[in-house]
Amino acid sequence: MSFSFEFNEDDLNSNEITKNKDLNKNKYLASNNNNQHFTNPLDVPLEPATKKPILHDLQHVLQSLINVRITFEIIHTPKNQIELYRRELFDIKHQIMMEIDDTNDNKELEILMGETNEDLVKNVYEGGLKSWECSIDLVDYLANNSSEITDYKKLIELGCGTALPTEYLFIKHLNLLKKQKDNNHNNSNLSFYLCDYNYEVLRLATVPNLIISWCMLYLSTEELSNLQKFEDATIPIAKDEIFLSKQLLSSFNDFIVNRQVSLKLISGSWCRAFNDLIINDLENELSNDNTTNDCMVLTSETIYQPDTLPLISETLLDLKQKLQKQNNKIEILLAAKDIYFGVGGSILEFQKYIEDRISNDENGLSSCVSSFEVFKCNENFKRSIVAIK
C-alpha cells in the first residue's frame, strides 16, 4: 500500500531545500534490501548522559510548588484569537535561581536560566521553557476541529514544554465535564500524558500553566482570593500573579480527581522504554474503565533535526500501532515548520521516512495508517500541521 502527503518540493523555494537530505539514512536504514539491515532507533541503547524515561508523581510536583508565587501572561492565537495562559519565563528563571544549591546539576540549571544563550543542548535541555510557534498553530487547528476532539479521552503530548495544545484541550474538556456534572452525569475518565525531556520543564512550566488556566476560568475572583489567603490573610493579590498556597493546590488536585481527570508526567528520552511507560499505563487504565478508548497524540517542532527525525517518527508509529490494538481510533497531529534552516529537518523528510517505513515494513504498519494529510497554517508562513489517521 502506498501513501502520499499530497505535499512536494514545489511547495518550497528551491533554495530552501537542504542539500543533505539523506543524513538520517546513514544511521537507520528503512529498506528491505538484503544488503541493508534496519535498526529501529527505539531499540538503540541510550547514551550514558541521556535522561532515562521516568513517570513522575503529580503529587510530588504539586508539593514542590507550595507557597510559590507565579507570574503569568495572557496570549492569543493568531488565527482564532484563542485565549491561553502562560507562566512568564522570567518568573520560571527566578524560581530556578532561588532553588539552586550545591547539590543541583548546575549545567542544566544554567541552561534553563538562559545563562549560556542556548535554545537547546543535546542530552541536557530540549527547549521546553519556550513556546514554539507551531505549538500555537496547533491550538488554532484544534479549535477549528473542536467538534471532533471531544471524542478523544486519552491525550498524549510529546515534547510538550509549555503545553499550550494540552492546555487548550484541558480547558475544552473541563468545560464539557462541568456541564455534565451540572446535569448530574458521571464524568468519563480522561487522561493527559504530558511528556518532556526535562522534568524541571514539567514542574515549572507545564503543570503551572494548567493550574493558572483552572484558577482563571473556574474560580470566581472571591474564590481565588480566599484560596490564596487561606493560611495568611495578609498575602497580597495581583491580577497577573497567583500565590500557590497549599489549600489552592489541594483544591486544584481535588477538582481534577473528582472529575476523573488524570495528569501523567513523563520525562526523559524517546526510546522503547519511553513508549512502554505510556502503553503499559494506558493498558492498565483501559482495563479499569469502560469509557471510549479513542486516543490523540500531539507533537510540535520535534522533527527539526535529521539525526533525531527517525526517533520521533518511530515513536509515533510504534505508539499508533500498539495503541490501535486497544483503542477505537488513534490520531496523530504533528506541527512543524516546512523546513528548519541551518539544521536540516523538514516535513518532506518526515513524509519520506514514514512512507519508506510503511512500504518496507512487514509487521503491519500499513494496516494502522489509513491517511496522511498536510494542512498549511498560513500561506505567508512556511508552517504546517500533519494529520496521520
Side-chain angles (χ1 to χ4, degrees):
M1 183 176 182
S2 62
F3 298 87
S4 175
F5 277 98
E6 300 179 356
F7 180 82
N8 55 53
E9 294 183 6
D10 293 336
D11 292 317
L12 302 174
N13 295 328
S14 59
N15 62 349
E16 293 176 352
I17 304 297
T18 179
K19 295 180 180 180
N20 298 317
K21 288 185 174 183
D22 296 325
L23 284 175
N24 57 320
K25 294 183 181 178
N26 294 329
K27 191 172 183 181
Y28 310 113
L29 298 172
S31 173
N32 281 340
N33 190 308
N34 291 332
N35 295 323
Q36 294 178 327
H37 174 69
F38 171 66
T39 300
N40 193 314
L42 289 175
D43 298 318
V44 174
L46 296 178
E47 298 176 8
T50 304
K51 296 181 184 296
K52 310 300 187 291
I54 299 173
L55 178 63
H56 299 278
D57 181 6
L58 176 63
Q59 302 309 310
H60 184 267
V61 172
L62 296 178
Q63 187 74 22
S64 76
L65 296 173
I66 291 176
N67 293 337
V68 172
R69 178 178 291 275
I70 57 178
T71 304
F72 65 92
E73 62 178 337
I74 300 174
I75 64 172
H76 295 87
T77 62
K79 184 175 290 186
N80 295 316
Q81 293 298 297
I82 303 298
E83 187 170 278
L84 299 167
Y85 301 90
R86 178 176 63 187
R87 188 179 185 185
E88 292 274 20
L89 181 57
F90 76 82
D91 188 56
I92 296 174
K93 292 179 178 180
H94 178 261
Q95 184 175 347
I96 293 172
M97 182 178 65
M98 296 298 291
E99 294 179 350
I100 287 180
D101 59 44
D102 293 337
T103 65
N104 289 127
D105 181 348
N106 290 327
K107 173 64 174 175
E108 179 177 354
L109 292 174
E110 287 172 4
I111 294 169
L112 288 170
M113 289 182 65
E115 293 184 357
T116 62
N117 296 317
E118 296 166 291
D119 279 336
L120 53 89
V121 177
K122 184 179 179 181
N123 294 336
V124 180
Y125 169 62
E126 290 294 336
L129 295 180
K130 178 180 177 180
S131 294
W132 299 86
E133 295 170 309
C134 293
S135 68
I136 299 174
D137 293 336
L138 189 51
V139 173
D140 270 330
Y141 177 88
L142 292 169
N144 289 337
N145 296 273
S146 59
S147 61
E148 300 176 14
I149 64 174
T150 53
D151 293 337
Y152 295 98
K153 300 302 180 185
K154 313 301 177 187
L155 300 145
I156 303 166
E157 186 171 1
L158 304 178
C160 65
T162 57
L164 298 183
T166 291
E167 181 185 322
Y168 172 74
L169 295 175
F170 181 71
I171 291 169
K172 290 287 293 182
H173 278 286
L174 286 179
N175 274 323
L176 177 63
L177 294 174
K178 186 177 181 180
K179 292 178 182 178
Q180 291 175 341
K181 182 183 179 184
D182 292 341
N183 293 326
N184 296 318
H185 291 301
N186 291 328
N187 301 313
S188 58
N189 288 325
L190 173 64
S191 297
F192 291 95
Y193 289 81
L194 295 149
C195 312
D196 194 273
Y197 185 75
N198 298 94
Y199 166 69
E200 295 300 330
V201 169
L202 296 171
R203 183 176 74 90
L204 300 175
T206 308
V207 172
N209 284 348
L210 298 180
I211 295 172
I212 295 166
S213 64
W214 172 73
C215 288
M216 300 306 296
L217 295 172
Y218 302 104
L219 296 178
S220 67
T221 302
E222 182 180 2
E223 288 172 330
L224 179 55
S225 176
N226 290 341
L227 286 173
Q228 292 179 86
K229 294 183 173 185
F230 190 83
E231 289 107 8
D232 183 354
T234 65
I235 292 292
I237 303 298
K239 66 177 182 179
D240 61 348
E241 296 179 355
I242 296 174
F243 178 71
L244 301 179
S245 69
K246 183 177 181 179
Q247 185 64 28
L248 186 148
L249 292 172
S250 177
S251 296
F252 170 77
N253 185 65
D254 290 343
F255 185 86
I256 61 175
V257 169
N258 291 338
R259 285 154 182 79
Q260 299 175 3
V261 176
S262 63
L263 303 180
K264 309 295 181 73
L265 309 173
I266 300 177
S267 69
S269 178
W270 300 318
C271 59
R272 183 69 64 190
F274 175 90
N275 278 17
D276 287 345
L277 270 180
I278 296 176
I279 292 166
N280 292 338
D281 194 83
L282 273 171
E283 284 180 346
N284 181 60
E285 282 204 353
L286 296 174
S287 66
N288 293 325
D289 69 65
N290 297 316
T291 61
T292 177
N293 299 334
D294 295 346
C295 181
M296 176 178 282
V297 182
L298 308 172
T299 190
S300 306
E301 308 266 20
T302 50
I303 62 168
Y304 61 88
Q305 195 171 52
D307 282 350
T308 56
L309 186 147
L311 183 56
I312 181 59
S313 301
E314 294 297 338
T315 298
L316 294 171
L317 287 173
D318 184 65
L319 285 173
K320 191 169 197 319
Q321 186 175 35
K322 291 180 178 176
L323 292 175
Q324 192 150 308
K325 295 177 182 178
Q326 315 163 8
N327 295 268
N328 299 325
K329 180 170 61 175
I330 309 293
E331 181 171 0
I332 295 170
L333 295 176
L334 179 144
K337 295 179 177 65
D338 293 350
I339 189 167
Y340 288 86
F341 296 103
V343 187
S346 70
I347 285 182
L348 284 173
E349 286 302 292
F350 178 66
Q351 167 195 354
K352 180 179 279 188
Y353 186 92
I354 296 293
E355 290 181 341
D356 285 349
R357 282 287 286 119
I358 290 174
S359 62
N360 293 320
D361 186 77
E362 297 179 354
N363 296 318
L365 279 178
S366 61
S367 65
C368 73
V369 178
S370 59
S371 69
F372 291 90
E373 295 177 89
V374 174
F375 303 92
K376 301 293 289 184
C377 296
N378 188 309
E379 291 302 324
N380 297 322
F381 301 105
K382 299 286 186 181
R383 304 197 300 266
S384 302
I385 307 291
V386 178
I388 304 176
K389 302 181 180 180

